Amino acid sequence: MSALNEMSGLKKEPRGKKRKLTAAERKEELVSYLFLAPWLVGLAIITIGPMAASLYLSFTDYNLLQPPEWTGLDNYLRMFEDTRLQNSLGVTFLYVFVSVPLQLIAALALALILDRGMRGLSFYRSVYYLPSLLGGSVAIAVLWRQIFGTSGLINQLLALVGIEGMGWIADPSTALGTLMVLNVWTFGAPMVIFLAGLRQIPTMYYEAAAMDGASKVRQFTTITAPLLTPIIFFNLVLQIIGAFQSFTQAFVVSGGTGGPADSTMFFTLYLYQQGFGNFNMGYASAMAWLLLLIIAAFTFINFIASKWWVFYDD
């Protein structure tokens, strides 16, 4: 081996001793750091800096007008007695646990239909993706408020068949449901990802199953679903994170109040009210870190549970 190294001009470095970089390598390393500099500066100023400031403020009493006053764990202990915060958590959990599965089911169903192949597929794919781009906008939230209003489109359609409508947004029992429907309607992004995953499944699997007499349902449960589990897992994690952070829809539809009767009081909306409505920025910062911990916990649980249901074809 030593003879081969000598013949090839290679010299074995002593273990634990770092090889000195040549002038060309040092120059290349410097250039790489220069290209990374804008991202590193942005990470420090836009992400790490505000996070550190928020963590500090979560232990203070800060009203935006006077210097923050250190209060220790008071903001976090206050959460155990805040019934509106607990209600907002319940509303948010219900919204996430109902709307996210329905959204993924709708996205997968439509992806299966589009995967069969049709003329103008790129057009339909763009049309179905459009709601995902607009769903979180103020304009769509205002439109949604009009659709489900007392004299909105839904009640007008019901009137055609002799059914008297109701104020869907004004009723606490249905107000949150309208926001769930809005979230399900924004299925475009996961649908496109599902469609890409379906295109990666080899057709030979389906051909072999068809030769064995397997039905379409059987092919889906034994071929499509198992091979698509990594995509399902990816979409599930992303949509859960996004649903926990939902804010615009509830703010616009309820007029920023979370009403009626706090039925649309998302956790993010209550955080906004505390920080910018009541000027309790210290308490709002503590709530933000609670939300971060909740999202991290659900993400961790999903990764742990994925060992038992996600199949990687490797």
Side-chain angles (χ1 to χ4, degrees):
M1 180 64 70
S2 59
L4 291 175
N5 289 339
E6 292 178 0
M7 291 176 61
S8 60
L10 297 176
K11 184 178 180 181
K12 187 176 180 180
E13 296 289 338
R15 181 174 297 181
K17 185 177 180 180
K18 187 177 180 180
R19 183 178 65 86
K20 292 183 179 180
L21 299 177
T22 64
E25 290 174 334
R26 284 196 299 269
K27 183 178 180 181
E28 183 178 354
E29 185 179 29
L30 178 60
V31 171
S32 65
Y33 281 117
L34 288 176
F35 278 107
L36 285 173
W39 182 86
L40 293 174
V41 172
L43 177 66
I45 297 177
I46 300 177
T47 303
I48 297 179
M51 287 184 65
S54 173
L55 181 61
Y56 166 72
L57 291 176
S58 69
F59 296 100
T60 66
D61 180 12
Y62 181 44
N63 60 8
L64 295 177
L65 302 176
Q66 298 174 342
E69 181 181 349
W70 184 267
T71 57
L73 296 175
D74 287 356
N75 288 326
Y76 292 95
L77 296 176
R78 177 182 170 185
M79 295 180 186
F80 293 98
E81 302 175 355
D82 192 342
T83 55
R84 293 197 72 193
L85 181 143
Q86 296 165 12
N87 174 76
S88 68
L89 283 175
V91 171
T92 304
F93 285 145
L94 181 61
Y95 173 79
V96 172
F97 293 154
V98 174
S99 67
V100 170
L102 292 178
Q103 182 193 54
L104 294 182
I105 291 173
L108 179 57
L110 190 58
L112 289 170
I113 295 174
L114 295 179
D115 186 52
R116 294 184 176 182
M118 60 178 64
R119 296 181 62 181
L121 176 60
S122 58
F123 170 76
Y124 289 108
R125 185 169 51 196
S126 301
V127 169
Y128 289 128
Y129 183 73
L130 190 60
S132 292
L133 298 176
L134 303 177
S137 66
V138 174
I140 294 300
V142 172
L143 176 63
W144 214 254
R145 186 174 183 175
Q146 297 299 322
I147 291 175
F148 286 94
T150 305
S151 58
L153 178 62
I154 298 299
N155 286 341
Q156 292 178 14
L157 293 176
L158 292 176
L160 295 177
V161 293
I163 300 177
E164 184 179 356
M166 57 183 292
W168 301 93
I169 295 176
D171 191 330
S173 63
T174 57
L176 182 61
T178 62
L179 298 182
M180 293 178 181
V181 174
L182 176 56
N183 190 51
V184 173
W185 180 67
T186 60
F187 57 78
M191 182 270 295
V192 171
I193 298 175
F194 277 136
L195 185 58
L198 290 171
R199 294 298 175 89
Q200 299 301 315
I201 300 178
T203 57
M204 62 180 181
Y205 293 161
Y206 297 106
E207 295 171 354
M211 292 180 62
D212 290 339
S215 64
K216 293 295 183 180
V217 175
R218 182 69 174 177
Q219 292 178 25
F220 175 80
T221 57
T222 59
I223 300 175
T224 306
L227 294 181
L228 208 61
T229 49
I231 307 298
I232 296 174
F233 171 68
F234 177 77
N235 275 331
L236 179 64
V237 171
L238 286 186
Q239 297 309 313
I240 286 179
I241 294 174
F244 269 114
Q245 296 175 327
S246 296
F247 169 78
T248 305
Q249 304 93 321
F251 181 84
V252 174
V253 169
S254 68
T257 64
D262 284 350
S263 59
T264 59
M265 181 63 77
F266 286 173
F267 186 83
T268 52
L269 180 56
Y270 186 54
L271 187 156
Y272 173 84
Q273 289 183 354
Q274 286 293 330
F276 297 97
N278 301 333
F279 297 106
N280 294 327
M281 189 56 69
Y283 188 51
S285 298
M287 291 178 60
W289 279 95
L290 174 61
L291 180 61
L292 174 64
L293 292 177
I294 292 173
I295 294 176
F298 274 94
T299 304
F300 177 76
I301 292 172
N302 278 324
F303 271 93
I304 295 299
S306 67
K307 298 178 181 179
W308 287 276
W309 67 274
V310 178
F311 172 75
Y312 293 98
D313 187 17
D314 55 2

